[in-house]
């Protein structure tokens, strides 16, 4: 199995070296059939799994919708205005959010594996490992491990800081431990934003880890490789130059598709209200429908481009130079 150094040599020993952007577009053009089929399978299966999970969550939360409906009927009977409390639904959403994040991570890992193999075939040529039917699942496991480890590294800090800041400055407090308007209150109130900013920087530093894992590294080695590649000025600048346009494209695409899918809301709300007799279940399902459509369409459009671009960048970034060891160490190791 060729090492990373051998891959860099193969990348630069043939024709004049191309940029990561050129390689990415070449992969998207030459392997469009493979990437399109993989994207269709991943997005289709993920959409089906997400739909089943959403239906199961709505079924489990049906007592909440029933209580909201009964309260609405009672308040209408006594001729009082009814403003429903969505706290229970917010709690259900927070508790089930990790399931959808895990589904999104699994889908991204599967597509990242396919895109990285396409980039490797473009830059190095097909190998025996790529032709093996077990190469896909074998490479998917470390990519999934990278997604899990990266999430554990990046997101606990901002969540803990936000929870601590809410306990100290939240409106639910009868007596506030920090005086509102003081410098301590201001610092605590601003700490979640600072923690999110730090988490985003760490996330950018570990952006290339899935591509490194798909290239054959273990999850911990892939995270270390991404960190070593992006801590240099050249690496951080190129990652940032690639991540910002892709993030803007993803945000614009999901907003555009969601807006175009807004006519689904009244249609779905009317259908579900007639089928179930529960206005609130139909109302919240109709709110989610355009968002789900926007996420699926945006994933089908932007995920292949994003995964291929970062895989190509991982292949093209120069490896950090390691300082030479003393002669005594070399002689001892050879001995």
């Amino acid at each position: 199995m060729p090492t990373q150094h051998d891959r860099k040599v193969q990348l630069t020993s043939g024709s004049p070296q191309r940029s990561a952007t050129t390689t990415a577009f070449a992969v998207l053009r030459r392997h469009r059939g493979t990437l399109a089929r993989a994207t269709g399978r991943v997005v289709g299966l993920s959409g089906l799994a997400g739909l089943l999970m959403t239906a199961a969550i709505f079924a489990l939360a049906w007592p909440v919708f029933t209580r909201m409906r009964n309260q609405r009927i009672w308040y209408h009977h006594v001729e009082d205005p009814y403003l429903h409390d969505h706290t229970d639904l917010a709690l259900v959403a927070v508790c089930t959010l990790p399931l959808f994040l895990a589904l999104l991570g699994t889908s991204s890992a599967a597509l990242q594996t396919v895109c990285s193999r396409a980039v490797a075939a473009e830059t190095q040529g097909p190998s025996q490992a790529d032709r093996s039917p077990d190469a896909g699942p074998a490479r998917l496991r470390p990519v999934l491990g990278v997604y899990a480890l990266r999430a554990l590294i990046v997101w606990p800090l901002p969540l803990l800081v936000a929870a601590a800041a809410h306990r100290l400055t939240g409106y639910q407090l009868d007596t506030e431990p920090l005086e509102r308007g003081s410098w301590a209150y201001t610092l605590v109130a601003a700490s979640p934003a600072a923690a999110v900013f730090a988490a985003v920087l760490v996330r950018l530093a570990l952006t290339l880890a899935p591509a490194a894992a798909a290239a054959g590294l273990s999850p911990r080695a892939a995270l270390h490789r991404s960190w070593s590649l992006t801590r240099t000025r050249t690496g951080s600048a190129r990652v940032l130059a690639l991540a910002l346009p892709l993030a803007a494209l993803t945000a614009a695409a999901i907003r555009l598709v969601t807006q175009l899918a807004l006519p689904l809301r009244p249609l779905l709300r009317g259908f579900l209200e007639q089928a179930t007799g529960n206005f609130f279940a139909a109302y919240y399902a109709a709110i989610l429908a355009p968002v789900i459509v926007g996420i699926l369409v945006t994933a089908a459009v932007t995920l292949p481009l994003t995964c291929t671009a970062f895989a190509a960048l991982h292949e093209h970034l120069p490896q950090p130079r390691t300082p030479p060891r003393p002669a005594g160490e070399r002689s001892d190791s050879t001995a």
Side-chain angles (χ1 to χ4, degrees):
M1 183 176 181
T3 63
Q4 189 71 19
H5 176 73
D6 296 333
R7 290 173 183 168
K8 297 298 179 182
V9 172
Q10 292 174 10
L11 187 65
T12 57
S13 60
S15 58
Q17 185 177 359
R18 298 177 297 180
S19 65
T21 305
T22 304
T23 300
F25 281 110
V27 170
L28 291 172
R29 183 179 67 254
R30 296 182 185 178
H31 301 269
R32 57 184 178 273
T34 302
L35 296 180
R37 288 190 296 271
T39 302
R41 288 195 302 268
V42 169
V43 174
L45 292 176
S46 300
L48 180 59
L51 182 61
L52 294 176
M53 289 170 53
T54 304
I57 292 169
F58 267 70
L60 293 175
W62 200 258
V64 178
F65 295 122
T66 302
R67 184 170 65 251
M68 295 167 65
R69 182 195 61 186
N70 294 338
Q71 289 178 351
R72 183 189 184 195
I73 294 174
W74 168 254
Y75 277 90
H76 180 73
H77 176 71
V78 298
E79 297 181 351
D80 281 343
Y82 170 62
L83 298 176
H84 68 277
D85 185 11
H86 57 269
T87 305
D88 293 338
L89 288 179
L91 181 61
V92 171
V94 170
C95 293
T96 56
L97 181 61
L99 298 176
F100 291 95
L101 293 179
L103 177 62
L104 179 61
T106 304
S107 305
S108 301
L111 200 54
Q112 179 68 70
T113 304
V114 176
C115 294
S116 295
R117 293 178 65 187
V119 171
E122 178 70 21
T123 57
Q124 306 162 27
S127 63
Q128 185 66 28
D130 290 329
R131 291 194 293 265
S132 174
D134 298 329
R139 291 191 179 187
L140 179 58
R141 286 190 291 270
V143 179
L144 286 174
V146 162
Y147 274 85
L149 287 177
R150 189 171 63 180
L152 292 176
I153 292 172
V154 172
W155 299 119
L157 176 62
L159 292 177
L160 292 175
V161 171
H166 182 68
R167 288 178 62 88
L168 294 174
T169 62
Y171 289 98
Q172 81 284 354
L173 299 175
D174 296 331
T175 58
E176 297 179 357
L178 298 176
E179 182 182 356
R180 189 177 296 273
S182 63
W183 65 270
Y185 182 94
T186 303
L187 288 178
V188 172
S191 60
V196 169
F197 180 74
V200 170
L201 292 181
V202 176
R203 174 64 176 78
L204 286 174
L206 303 178
T207 296
L208 301 179
L217 296 180
S218 65
R220 291 182 59 184
L223 291 171
H224 184 269
R225 172 64 55 80
S226 179
W227 182 270
S228 64
L229 288 176
T230 56
R231 69 182 179 183
T232 63
R233 181 177 302 178
T234 301
S236 59
R238 295 183 67 177
V239 167
L240 191 63
L242 185 60
L244 288 180
L246 290 175
L249 175 64
T250 302
I254 194 170
R255 179 171 178 80
L256 175 62
V257 177
T258 302
Q259 291 295 320
L260 293 177
L262 285 180
L264 290 175
R265 283 184 175 175
L267 298 176
L268 186 61
R269 183 172 62 240
F271 172 77
L272 291 179
E273 187 175 4
Q274 289 182 357
T276 63
N278 194 313
F279 167 79
F280 291 102
Y283 173 76
Y284 284 104
I287 287 179
L288 290 176
V291 179
I292 294 174
V293 172
I295 292 175
L296 291 177
V297 174
T298 302
V301 173
T302 62
L303 265 184
L305 175 61
T306 301
C307 294
T308 304
F310 282 119
L313 182 60
H314 171 259
E315 291 289 339
H316 283 75
L317 276 180
Q319 298 299 311
R321 294 182 178 179
T322 57
R325 292 183 298 175
E329 292 187 11
R330 288 198 297 269
S331 60
D332 294 339
S333 61
T334 55

